[in-house]
Amino acid sequence: MGAGKRIWVAAAVGLVCAVTVLGGAGSAFAAPAPTPTPTPTPSVTLPPNKDLEAVRKRLEKLYHDAAVATDAYNAAEEETERQSTEIVELAREIVKGQERLAELKDRAGAAARSQYRSGGLPPEARLWLSDDPQAWLEGVSRVRQGQKATTGLLAEMTRTQQDLEQYAQDASAQWTKLEASRKAKAAAQKTVKQQIAAAEKLESELEKEEKERLAELEREAAYKAQTSWLSSGILDDIDGTATAQGKKAVEFATAQIGKPYVWGAEGPDSFDCSGMTQAAWAAAGISIPRTSQQQWAQLPRVDIEDMRPGDLIVYFDDASHIAMYVGDGAMVHAPRPGRTVTIAGAGSMPILGVVRPN
């Protein structure tokens, strides 16, 4: 959050406190979302006899859990940014409302002082004391106009006061939600770091030869899954042609090959999986949600057989990973910590489904 926004958010809090007399705005108007319970640091003890296949599966689980926590972090970060923006806007509205209310009070005060200077008699009474018929008729018109203006002034003051009360309530509610989002973000951040640290510790306990064999096992598992997927004849049915925007998205995504995976990163120098797909489609002129789970939930779904380059492939039952299909049974993705953006087989992981940004 920039310095300017922080100043406005701080101002909003002060303004909320300042206008509590308008409607008890200091109380919460929205229940905070439940804060996720931080995951304890996972055990990283190597299996008996260093069974490398068990190590591979253990690492896969740790990095999967880190991906789930990364999605939670990204979602909380997005909510924090949105709520901060709303608080800033509410602060501006409160400032404008206070200025307008002060102006209306000044006008009402001027009218009261004018009546006091005229002896405190209401305009109707002064008219009845007039001996000039023409002046009396003209005065009646002015009195009616004045009464109408006074009524309008009082109504506008009431509306402005009510608006200020509502702004104060909304700001208080948004502040409560913001605090809940910040706690969720911090909890998710802690979980991500715990999972990655556990995975790194597990890998650090392997000898050089074991690491090489582990990498080979990972390649074998991916190859087996891809071969199984292709043997189903799926490519015989996939013949979609990329749209102009899809081509732009693919060009952007493939241009990122070699850049490191960093959880929570949206580019330009590093990415996480959904940060890369979001940036790729932004380069094609289309805005999509931030997280893999949001992209799965909010974007239109298509059958795998109808997949075309640029479509997004969502993996695992919890939609914790996402990649971009580039054609010929391949996809480009940001895999996990310690890896870089790369091309891989589209069927090398369990596919949940496919979504289409355009």
Side-chain angles (χ1 to χ4, degrees):
M1 191 187 308
K5 180 168 286 188
R6 283 195 296 269
I7 291 171
W8 267 107
V9 172
V13 179
L15 286 167
V16 170
C17 294
V19 296
T20 50
V21 294
L22 297 174
S27 56
F29 289 85
T35 302
T37 302
T39 304
T41 302
S43 171
V44 295
T45 304
L46 283 171
N49 301 319
K50 294 187 178 178
D51 180 347
L52 291 179
E53 178 58 21
V55 172
R56 185 190 70 79
K57 290 181 178 179
R58 178 65 176 144
L59 285 171
E60 189 176 81
K61 175 70 164 57
L62 288 169
Y63 282 122
H64 171 268
D65 291 347
V68 173
T70 297
D71 240 26
Y73 173 88
N74 290 335
E77 183 178 49
E78 192 172 51
E79 275 297 287
T80 298
E81 183 67 21
R82 184 185 63 79
Q83 289 154 358
S84 296
T85 299
E86 289 188 13
I87 289 174
V88 168
E89 292 305 315
L90 286 167
R92 291 192 176 112
E93 292 298 328
I94 289 173
V95 168
K96 287 192 292 186
Q98 288 180 324
E99 290 174 349
R100 180 59 178 159
L101 188 60
E103 177 189 345
L104 293 171
K105 287 180 177 179
D106 285 345
R107 286 169 54 187
R113 290 191 295 273
S114 175
Q115 183 173 332
Y116 176 79
R117 286 194 296 270
S118 65
L121 290 174
E124 297 90 339
R126 293 199 301 275
L127 280 176
W128 286 111
L129 296 175
S130 173
D131 295 329
D132 186 341
Q134 183 62 34
W136 186 84
L137 290 173
E138 293 174 353
V140 167
S141 177
R142 286 195 300 272
V143 167
R144 287 175 178 170
Q145 291 176 1
Q147 289 174 335
K148 185 176 180 180
T150 299
T151 301
L153 176 63
L154 293 174
E156 188 172 358
M157 285 179 67
T158 299
R159 284 195 303 272
T160 302
Q161 186 112 350
Q162 290 172 343
D163 287 345
L164 277 172
E165 291 174 1
Q166 188 60 53
Y167 292 146
Q169 292 177 5
D170 292 346
S172 177
Q174 285 303 323
W175 187 257
T176 300
K177 292 178 182 178
L178 177 60
E179 286 302 296
S181 294
R182 283 174 173 167
K183 290 178 181 178
K185 179 179 172 182
Q189 182 180 36
K190 184 176 181 180
T191 300
V192 173
K193 291 182 176 180
Q194 287 175 339
Q195 298 295 328
I196 294 175
E200 290 174 345
K201 185 176 187 301
L202 183 56
E203 289 180 294
S204 72
E205 295 178 0
L206 298 174
E207 302 294 338
K208 180 181 178 181
E209 294 77 9
E210 291 171 328
K211 291 180 180 178
E212 291 173 352
R213 176 57 184 155
L214 178 63
E216 185 179 341
L217 288 173
E218 290 176 349
R219 288 191 295 270
E220 288 175 359
Y223 177 78
K224 182 179 180 181
Q226 176 73 355
T227 301
S228 174
W229 184 66
L230 292 177
S231 66
S232 68
I234 189 71
L235 282 187
D236 297 337
D237 298 319
I238 299 176
D239 58 359
T241 302
T243 62
Q245 287 176 311
K247 288 179 180 178
K248 288 182 180 179
V250 169
E251 288 172 1
F252 179 94
T254 53
Q256 312 313 310
I257 291 175
K259 292 184 178 180
Y261 176 103
V262 174
W263 69 271
E266 305 172 42
D269 299 321
S270 59
F271 297 89
D272 62 18
C273 66
S274 57
M276 194 273 289
T277 54
Q278 184 189 49
W281 273 103
I286 293 181
S287 175
I288 65 174
R290 173 61 180 90
T291 73
S292 60
Q293 292 173 344
Q294 291 170 339
Q295 290 172 16
W296 169 243
Q298 298 178 32
L299 296 177
R301 299 180 185 180
V302 297
D303 292 334
I304 294 178
E305 293 78 7
D306 297 326
M307 188 163 56
R308 66 192 185 196
D311 287 347
L312 305 180
I313 308 175
V314 185
Y315 294 96
F316 304 108
D317 291 341
D318 52 8
S320 57
H321 190 68
I322 196 163
M324 179 177 292
Y325 185 63
V326 295
D328 296 324
M331 56 84 164
V332 60
H333 70 146
R336 64 167 175 81
R339 301 293 171 81
T340 60
V341 177
T342 189
I343 295 283
S348 57
M349 292 177 288
I351 296 176
L352 175 61
V354 179
V355 292
R356 177 168 292 165
N358 68 335

